[in-house]
Amino acid sequence: MPPERNLEAQRWFQKAAQDLAAGTVVLNAAPPLVEDALFHAQQAAEKAIKGFLAWHGAPFRKIHDLREISGTAIAIDPSLEPLLKRAVVLTPFAGVFRYPAGDMGIPSKEDASQALQLAREVYQAILDRLPAEVHPG
């Protein structure tokens, strides 16, 4: 594996780990910042998938659509399909709560907690398929 691919993938995973940590912090704030936690859950899953694609040298567009980038990841490793198909529900959280007048309703703390758990599952499942040198330190 070219060292630059390892480094690029590692950078994606570091950013994904930061989003998981940020999501946890804002969800546990008083009051909980539920919408921000949902945003970080989506970002963590997206960045983990992009790290996987980067490691494999698979091109991807600069988008937040988990369905599209998951399709590329599943083509590389079909065993990811059940998990990544579940994770597609995180896609709207990339933007829907970032601006006023969203039409998704008011999410609960439990919704955000479940979204973060799903993002953690994506992150860990993908890391489990890559060599240790890619894992963030």
Side-chain angles (χ1 to χ4, degrees):
M1 183 60 49
E4 58 276 359
R5 272 202 214 163
N6 279 343
L7 183 58
E8 181 183 1
Q10 188 176 53
R11 287 178 178 156
W12 281 109
F13 287 109
Q14 287 169 341
K15 289 294 190 180
Q18 288 173 358
D19 275 306
L20 289 172
T24 301
V25 167
V26 298
L27 189 59
N28 292 318
L33 302 175
V34 173
E35 294 172 351
D36 290 343
L38 288 165
F39 169 75
H40 286 295
Q42 186 284 335
Q43 287 290 287
E46 176 185 329
K47 291 169 186 169
I49 296 166
K50 287 179 176 178
F52 181 79
L53 297 178
W55 191 83
H56 283 283
F60 52 87
R61 295 184 315 139
K62 291 183 178 183
I63 57 164
H64 301 296
D65 184 350
L66 298 185
R67 183 178 319 274
E68 181 176 322
I69 61 174
S70 290
T72 306
I74 291 165
I76 294 167
D77 185 342
S79 72
L80 287 168
E81 185 172 14
L83 177 59
L84 296 185
K85 283 196 174 214
R86 283 191 308 128
V88 166
V89 300
L90 300 174
T91 296
F93 304 141
V96 73
F97 299 122
R98 304 313 287 170
Y99 304 98
D103 60 352
M104 288 196 64
I106 300 170
S108 69
K109 185 174 180 180
E110 181 61 27
D111 293 334
S113 180
Q114 290 174 0
L116 282 168
Q117 180 55 38
L118 180 54
R120 281 186 206 95
E121 289 176 40
V122 169
Y123 176 84
Q124 193 59 56
I126 289 174
L127 271 184
D128 288 347
R129 288 163 170 79
L130 297 176
E133 65 263 14
V134 176
H135 299 208

